[in-house]
C-alpha cells in the first residue's frame, strides 16, 4: 500500500530542486554518450542514492525519504524528461527496497536494504521468461523443496537492471501445471552459486534500462528467502502492478510535455513565409492536438494516483489500466508531432525526441502491454456500464 502523507510541501519543493540540479549535472549531459556507447550507467544510478532517490517511498525509519506515491511520480517525471530509461531503471531498484521494507523479514532487510538504498547493489523484479510474458501464470522456472530450503532452476528474460542487479525478487512455479496456484516468490542473491547472468540485450534507445536475463542452475534459496509462499506469489506480483502502470503513464506524459515545450519554443522562433511557424494554423493545430492529448493523459494519470493513494488496490486496477493505455498510445504520435514541428532539426539527437520515441515504444510493453490494458478495460465493461433493467427504464 502506498504512503499518502508524504514529505511536507516545503521540504518536497527543496527536494525537487535538488533532483533538478542532480539531473542536469549527472544525467542530462551523458544521456547521448550512454546510448552511443551502449552503457548501463551503474555509477549514475548509485549517485541517486546520495539524494535518497533509491528510497523515495520507503519509511524514513528504515532509511528512506517517506514520499507519497504522487510525490514519487513528480521526481520520476523530472528524471524522465531527460531519460525515461534511467528513471525506469532507478524505480526498479527502488521497488525491490520498498518490497523488502514493507514485507521482508528483519533478516532480509538487514542483509540487503542498506546496499539497495545506497546503490551499492541494484535490484530487479523478475516475472518474465523466454516462454512467458503477458501470460505470467505460464512461467516454468521451478522451485523444488530441499533440506532447509529450495532448489531453483530456470531462466528469466527481459528483466530491467539484469545487466548488473544482484538483489532480485523472482517469481517461480512450485507445482508444474498449477499456474497461479503454484507461484511463489524468492529473494535471489545474484552473487550466489547457481546464479548465471546472461548477456544484456541491445535495445535501441534503451541501453540505460540494462535489460537482460539470468539463469538459475540448482540455485539454493534458504527458507528465509521465500517472500511469498506457493499460491500467494501471483497476488503479490499484482499487488503493486497498478502503481507501476501509473508511473509508466506519468513518465510518458513527462516525455511528451518536455518535447512539446521544445516544439512550441522552436515554433515561436522559427519563421517561414514571413511569420513564426506557430502562426500557421496547420502547424499550431497539430501542437494544440498534442496539448489536448497530454492534458487528457495527465487527468487519467491523476485519477489513478488518487485511487492508489486511497490505498484500495482493487479500485486502482481500472484507473491504472485506463491511464497506461491512454498515455502509452498517446506518446508515440505526440512525440512524432513535436519532432515534425521542429522540421529536420527535430531529428537531431540533442533534442532527445528520438530517445523519447524509443522509450515510449518500451512503455507499450512494460508492466502489462497495451493489449493487456485494453483486455482489462474490456473485462470491466459489464460491471462499469451495464444498465440493470430498472436503471434502463429510468434513463
Ligand atoms: C525494456 C523492457 C523492460 C522489461 N522489464 C521487465 C522486468 O523488470 N521484469 C519482468 O518480469 N518483465 C519485464 N519486461 C517484460 C515485459 O513485462 C513483457 O515484455 C510483457 O509482459 C509482454 O510479454 P512478451 O514480450 O513476452 O509478449 P507476449 O506476451 O508474447 O505478447 C506478444 C504480443 O501479443 C499480445 N498479447 C498477448 N496476450 C494477449 C491477449 N490475451 N490479448 C491480446 N493480445 C495479447 C501482447 O500484447 C503482445 O503485443 C520488460 C520488457 C521490456 C521491453
Amino acid at each position: 500500500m502506498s504512503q499518502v502523507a508524504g514529505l511536507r510541501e516545503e521540504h518536497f519543493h527543496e527536494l525537487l530542486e535538488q533532483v533538478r540540479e542532480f539531473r542536469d549535472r549527472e544525467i542530462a549531459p551523458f544521456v547521448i554518450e550512454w546510448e552511443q556507447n551502449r552503457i548501463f550507467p551503474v555509477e549514475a544510478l548509485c549517485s541517486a542514492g546520495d539524494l535518497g532517490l533509491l528510497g523515495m517511498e520507503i519509511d524514513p525509519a528504515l532509511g528512506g525519504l517517506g514520499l507519497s506515491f504522487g510525490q514519487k511520480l513528480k521526481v520520476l517525471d523530472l528524471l524522465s524528461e531527460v531519460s525515461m530509461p534511467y528513471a525506469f531503471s532507478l524505480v526498479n531498484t527502488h521497488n525491490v527496497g520498498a518490497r523488502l521494507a514493507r514485507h521482508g523479514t528483519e533478516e532480509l532487510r538487514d542483509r540487503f536494504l542498506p546496499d539497495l538504498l545506497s546503490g551499492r547493489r541494484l535490484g530487479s523484479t523478475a516475472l518474465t521468461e523466454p516462454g512467458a510474458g503477458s501470460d505470467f501464470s505460464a512461467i516454468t522456472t521451478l522451485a523444488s523443496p530441499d533440506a532447509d530450503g529450495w532448489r531453483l532452476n530456470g531462466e528469466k528474460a527481459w528483466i530491467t537492471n539484469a545487466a548488473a542487479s544482484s538483489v532480485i525478487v523472482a517469481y517461480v512455479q512450485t507445482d508444474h501445471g498449477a499456474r497461479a496456484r503454484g507461484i511463489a516468490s524468492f529473494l535471489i542473491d545474484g552473487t550466489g552459486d547457481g546464479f548465471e547472468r546472461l548477456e544484456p540485450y541491445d535495445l535501441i534507445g534503451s541501453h540505460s534500462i540494462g535489460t537482460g536475463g539470468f539463469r538459475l542452475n540448482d540455485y539454493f534459496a534458504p527458507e528465509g528467502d521465500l517472500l511469498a509462499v506457493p499460491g500467494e506469489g501471483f497476488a503479490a506480483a499484482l499487488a503493486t502492478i497498478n502503481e507501476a502502470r501509473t508511473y509508466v503513464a506519468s513518465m510518458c506524459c513527462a516525455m511528451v510535455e518536455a518535447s512539446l515545450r521544445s516544439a512550441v519554443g522552436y515554433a515561436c522562433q522559427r519563421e517561414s513565409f514571413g511569420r513564426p511557424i506557430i502562426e500557421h494554423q496547420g502547424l499550431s493545430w497539430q501542437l494544440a492536438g498534442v496539448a489536448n492529448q497530454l492534458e487528457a493523459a495527465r487527468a487519467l494519470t491523476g485519477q489513478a494516483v488518487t485511487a492508489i493513494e486511497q490505498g484500495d488496490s482493487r479500485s486502482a486496477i481500472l484507473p491504472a489500466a485506463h491511464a497506461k493505455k491512454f498515455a502509452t498510445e498517446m506518446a508515440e504520435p505526440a512525440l512524432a508531432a513535436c519532432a515534425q514541428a521542429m522540421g529536420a532539426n527535430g531529428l537531431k539527437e540533442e533534442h532527445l525526441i528520438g530517445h523519447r520515441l524509443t522509450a515510449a515504444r518500451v512503455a507499450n510493453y512494460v508492466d502489462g502491454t497495451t493489449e493487456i490494458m485494453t483486455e482489462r478495460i474490456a473485462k470491466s465493461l459489464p460491471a462499469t456500464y451495464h444498465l440493470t433493467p430498472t436503471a434502463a427504464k429510468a434513463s
Side-chain angles (χ1 to χ4, degrees), residues 307-323:
I308 287 165
E309 289 193 334
Q310 280 166 355
D312 170 7
S313 68
R314 279 209 71 74
S315 61
I317 294 174
L318 199 52
H322 275 298

Side-chain angles (χ1 to χ4, degrees), residues 88 92 124-135 157-161 203 206 209 211 362 364-372 375:
F88 193 72
N92 268 269
S124 292
T125 301
L127 291 80
T128 307
E129 299 185 353
S134 305
D135 185 6
W158 293 102
I159 308 303
T160 297
N161 290 342
L203 298 186
S206 296
I209 301 188
T211 317
V362 164
N364 279 276
Y365 301 106
V366 291
D367 298 303
T369 64
T370 312
E371 291 76 16
I372 295 301
E375 187 62 12

Side-chain angles (χ1 to χ4, degrees), residues 71-134:
Q71 289 176 333
K72 180 175 82 171
L73 261 56
K74 290 202 168 90
V75 171
L76 293 175
D77 277 7
L78 276 185
L79 300 174
S80 301
E81 284 178 3
V82 301
S83 175
M84 179 195 158
Y86 176 91
F88 193 72
S89 166
L90 180 130
V91 76
N92 268 269
T93 285
H94 166 277
N95 291 348
V96 175
R99 172 83 177 72
L100 290 182
R102 284 176 196 162
H103 306 294
T105 59
E106 206 176 328
E107 193 273 325
L108 282 177
R109 287 209 297 250
D110 289 349
R111 190 146 52 109
F112 295 114
L113 198 51
D115 281 352
L116 285 167
L117 288 171
S118 66
R120 277 190 298 273
R121 292 177 80 157
L122 299 182
S124 292
T125 301
L127 291 80
T128 307
E129 299 185 353
S134 305

Side-chain angles (χ1 to χ4, degrees), residues 140-153 172-176 184 186 218-221 223 230:
T140 58
T141 294
L142 189 67
S144 319
D146 196 45
D148 301 325
W150 300 75
R151 289 278 165 196
L152 275 57
N153 284 285
V172 301
Q173 182 54 268
T174 58
D175 180 5
H176 262 320
F186 286 88
D218 244 2
Y219 175 94
F220 178 72
E223 199 62 43

